């Protein structure tokens, strides 16, 4: 299934969980605080803005936010919260769609860059972010760390979350660097509902190389939006990439084989 088929009207209607999960204040608060800081006095552009989980409260903080989104049903759900004048949205793919103007911040939250299923598309996404940014602007990405260490020989799936009424598991295709996330929800009855989404997982080092190809430098990496230290045990990261200021070129990549 392509992304437009996955994020259909049914998915858009069920996506928002106000006050809980990724919509909870303890998740959204630090996210919006950090992004508002990064945007400064400029404008922010969200790739894959979805239903506005982050964009709406960020705009509520006085930040001028524009979005790019492939799914029209997700945009329709966003429009139940704010109008086009408040948060303009361009319909298109975050790898190549263009938004008018220049921005001090472009951001991608909640693993969304992994929705691009090839390395070439992911590199194109970085280059698209660079095209939209002013000199010194930042591209901020929230992404999970692949949990391949949990896979014993011969096993292809890991359970990454279990709680009453919900089981989340991932199945891996290591050769293609693909993973399919399976979200099972259920109640006391014998029936369960399943939502699946495909992804291409990215190691932090590979993400950094993509950034270099687009002219970015890694400014910081933390384990979460609150600034916790990123370690070998971290399950996710918030990576901040920055374009060089005017008059200062990015350092050239070292030639192959150099130390």
């Amino acid at each position: 299934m392509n992304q437009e088929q996955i994020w259909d009207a049914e998915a858009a209607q069920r996506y928002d969980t106000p006050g809980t999960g990724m919509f909870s204040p303890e998740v959204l608060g630090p996210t919006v605080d950090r992004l508002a800081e990064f945007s400064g006095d400029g404008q922010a552009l969200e790739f894959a803005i979805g239903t506005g989980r982050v964009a709406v409260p960020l705009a509520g903080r006085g930040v001028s936010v524009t979005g790019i989104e492939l799914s029209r049903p997700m945009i329709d759900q966003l429009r139940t919260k704010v109008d086009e004048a408040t948060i303009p949205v361009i319909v298109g793919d975050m790898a190549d769609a263009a938004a008018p103007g220049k921005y001090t911040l472009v951001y991608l939250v909640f693993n969304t860059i992994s929705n691009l299923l090839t390395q070439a598309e992911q590199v194109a996404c970085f280059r698209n972010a660079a095209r939209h940014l002013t000199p010194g602007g930042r591209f901020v990405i929230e992404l999970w760390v692949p949990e391949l260490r949990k896979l014993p020989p011969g096993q292809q799936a890991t359970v990454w979350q279990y709680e009453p009424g919900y089981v989340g598991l991932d199945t891996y295709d290591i050769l293609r660097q693909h993973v399919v996330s399976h979200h099972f929800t259920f109640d006391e009855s014998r029936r369960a509902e399943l939502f699946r989404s495909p992804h291409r997982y990215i190691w932090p080092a590979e993400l950094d190389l993509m950034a270099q190809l687009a002219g970015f430098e890694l400014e910081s990496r933390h384990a979460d939006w609150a600034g916790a230290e990123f370690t070998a045990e971290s399950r996710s990261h918030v990576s901040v990439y920055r374009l060089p200021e005017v008059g200062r070129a990015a350092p050239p990549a070292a030639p192959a084989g150099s130390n």
Side-chain angles (χ1 to χ4, degrees):
M1 297 178 68
N2 62 39
Q3 295 298 327
E4 289 178 279
Q5 292 173 308
I6 294 167
W7 303 106
D8 58 11
E10 181 181 357
Q13 289 292 323
R14 298 177 56 184
Y15 188 80
D16 291 356
T17 56
T20 64
M22 60 183 178
F23 285 80
S24 65
E26 56 268 27
V27 172
L28 271 178
T31 305
V32 173
D33 287 344
R34 195 99 187 272
L35 292 174
E37 175 188 340
F38 287 143
S39 64
D41 295 328
Q43 301 182 85
L45 174 63
E46 180 171 357
F47 283 177
I49 194 171
T51 67
R53 178 181 72 94
V54 172
V56 171
L58 185 59
R61 292 279 295 271
V63 178
S64 176
V65 183
T66 298
I68 291 176
E69 175 58 50
L70 187 64
S71 167
R72 291 183 182 275
M74 297 290 273
I75 298 172
D76 291 341
Q77 182 68 10
L78 169 62
R79 288 290 166 250
T80 66
K81 307 171 188 177
V82 294
D83 59 19
E84 177 73 15
T86 303
I87 300 181
V89 178
I90 289 80
V91 180
D93 192 318
M94 59 184 165
D96 55 26
K102 286 290 186 177
Y103 302 84
T104 55
L105 171 68
V106 177
Y107 64 94
L108 258 175
V109 295
F110 205 62
N111 310 320
T112 312
I113 192 171
S114 68
N115 290 348
L116 299 171
L117 299 181
T118 69
Q119 186 184 70
E121 290 175 310
Q122 291 168 348
V123 170
C125 183
F126 269 91
R127 288 177 170 151
N128 197 28
R131 284 192 291 269
H132 284 90
L133 285 168
T134 59
R138 293 178 173 92
F139 185 29
V140 180
I141 295 177
E142 179 185 23
L143 187 61
W144 97 100
V145 177
E147 297 190 299
L148 296 187
R149 290 188 301 172
K150 292 185 176 181
L151 287 176
Q155 183 172 313
Q156 296 178 301
T158 63
V159 175
W160 52 269
Q161 186 170 340
Y162 171 77
E163 59 187 43
Y166 177 80
V167 174
L169 64 87
D170 289 336
T171 54
Y172 285 86
D173 178 348
I174 297 174
L175 288 179
R176 295 195 300 157
Q177 210 163 306
H178 280 186
V179 60
V180 177
S181 291
H182 303 71
H183 306 267
F184 295 90
T185 55
F186 50 89
D187 53 26
E188 298 300 323
S189 71
R190 298 173 60 184
R191 300 182 63 85
E193 293 186 353
L194 169 63
F195 176 79
R196 293 181 294 179
S197 59
H199 305 268
R200 181 185 185 272
Y201 61 82
I202 315 168
W203 297 103
E206 183 186 9
L207 199 71
D208 292 348
L209 183 56
M210 292 179 182
Q212 289 182 39
L213 291 173
F216 288 100
E217 299 171 339
L218 177 64
E219 183 176 67
S220 66
R221 172 170 290 134
H222 293 96
D224 57 27
W225 291 100
E229 181 185 3
F230 181 74
T231 71
E233 303 305 315
S234 298
R235 295 183 60 186
S236 62
H237 58 95
V238 176
S239 295
V240 181
Y241 298 99
R242 194 167 190 179
L243 287 181
E245 300 281 355
V246 174
R248 188 175 69 87
S258 65
N259 295 319

